[in-house]
Amino acid sequence: MQRIVWGRKTSSNVMKVLWGLGELDLPFERIDVGGSFGKTDTAEYRGMNPTGLVPTLQEGDFTLWESNAILRYLCHAHAPNSPLWPREPQARANVDRWMDAQQTTFNRPMSQVFWGLVRTPADQRDMAALQQAIHDTAKAWSFIEPRLGRHAFIAGADFTLADIPWGVHAHRWFNMDYLGLERPDLPNIRAWYDRLCERPAYRTHISSQAVV
Ligand SMILES: N[C@@H](CCC(=O)N[C@@H](CS)C(=O)NCC(=O)O)C(=O)O
């Protein structure tokens, strides 16, 4: 069965899916669309994904979009007994809520930080707004900082899907030039990031990528 990921590899949501596929050892092809590659406004792409965003997964004649839904589908379909998405209902709900919390509490301020520091020309940066966004992002990181002092990964002792949405952004967080702006020390998150860097799939798809 042919498996295709549609999306540029510089997108955090595409990165989640690539990393997840790597963890599950599932082969795939990737086609560059989105960002400067465009092609997400075509009838063909909108037919697969009406949001016009990336990523989109195709497996044979099955199509799916929304990065977290794709990660859950991949586990359910191809690794139903994997610890990545535990079967026990409460353990699974714990993983799901941390995946969702990345989207709902963290994504907005972190996007502002990333776009402001990395993708905005120097003379157009609003440094006060950026400092506020760094503060708001650190507040969201602070939800997981104490957890990572108690156990190795976000959901508990094991690496799970909960680590993927946050882990993609940890690489960006620790590798941007903050231009003298203040940000708090997050020692448990730093140690967790170092642990993620030991994982081959993280190295291939996330930590070896330039923050651009
Ligand atoms: N909730 C969606 C968000 C997808 C999304 O916002 N993707 C961004 C890239 S991270 C995008 O498509 N931006 C426009 C583009 O790349 O052309 C998901 O998790 O898949």
Side-chain angles (χ1 to χ4, degrees):
M1 178 190 51
Q2 196 186 23
R3 179 177 296 115
I4 301 175
V5 177
W6 294 78
R8 58 188 168 86
K9 64 179 184 183
T10 51
S11 145
S12 58
N13 290 304
V14 173
M15 286 180 191
K16 291 183 199 174
V17 172
L18 304 183
W19 178 15
L21 285 163
E23 290 287 346
L24 296 170
D25 216 7
L26 295 171
F28 64 93
E29 290 168 50
R30 190 181 59 78
I31 298 179
D32 272 322
V33 294
S36 60
F37 296 97
K39 301 184 199 147
T40 48
D41 250 340
T42 62
E44 186 200 5
Y45 191 80
R46 296 272 169 164
M48 291 195 297
N49 181 343
T51 70
L53 298 172
V54 293
T56 302
L57 174 78
Q58 266 185 319
E59 275 193 351
D61 57 12
F62 176 66
T63 302
L64 189 64
W65 42 273
E66 278 297 330
S67 56
N68 286 356
I70 293 172
L71 288 170
R72 289 189 277 257
Y73 162 75
L74 290 171
C75 282
H76 200 172
H78 303 297
N81 296 314
S82 162
L84 256 64
W85 199 39
R87 295 176 72 107
E88 194 281 312
Q90 293 181 1
R92 179 165 288 191
N94 183 37
V95 169
D96 287 346
R97 74 164 163 197
W98 285 108
M99 294 178 80
D100 290 355
Q102 184 276 324
Q103 299 253 27
T104 54
T105 67
F106 176 89
N107 206 43
R108 187 157 178 225
M110 181 64 193
S111 297
Q112 289 167 347
V113 173
F114 175 71
W115 276 82
L117 290 175
V118 176
R119 293 194 182 156
T120 302
D123 60 349
Q124 289 170 32
R125 285 191 188 112
D126 177 341
M127 297 304 275
L130 252 173
Q131 184 66 75
Q132 182 62 45
I134 291 170
H135 173 83
D136 294 345
T137 308
K139 190 170 165 200
W141 277 129
S142 76
F143 304 147
I144 61 168
E145 170 70 13
R147 294 182 69 76
L148 289 169
R150 293 195 293 274
H151 36 69
F153 295 102
I154 290 178
D158 293 328
F159 175 82
T160 67
L161 291 187
D163 295 288
I164 292 184
W166 297 84
V168 163
H169 292 282
H171 177 57
R172 290 179 169 179
W173 179 258
F174 288 114
N175 292 285
M176 290 187 290
D177 177 355
Y178 285 84
L179 308 167
L181 295 168
E182 285 174 22
R183 76 193 162 118
D185 265 357
L186 297 167
N188 295 330
I189 291 176
R190 176 74 218 195
W192 163 75
Y193 170 62
D194 292 341
R195 279 194 290 284
L196 295 180
C197 288
E198 291 166 11
R199 305 184 74 84
Y202 191 76
R203 282 207 298 274
T204 302
H205 298 291
I206 313 297
S207 60
S208 61
Q209 304 299 314
V211 177
V212 287

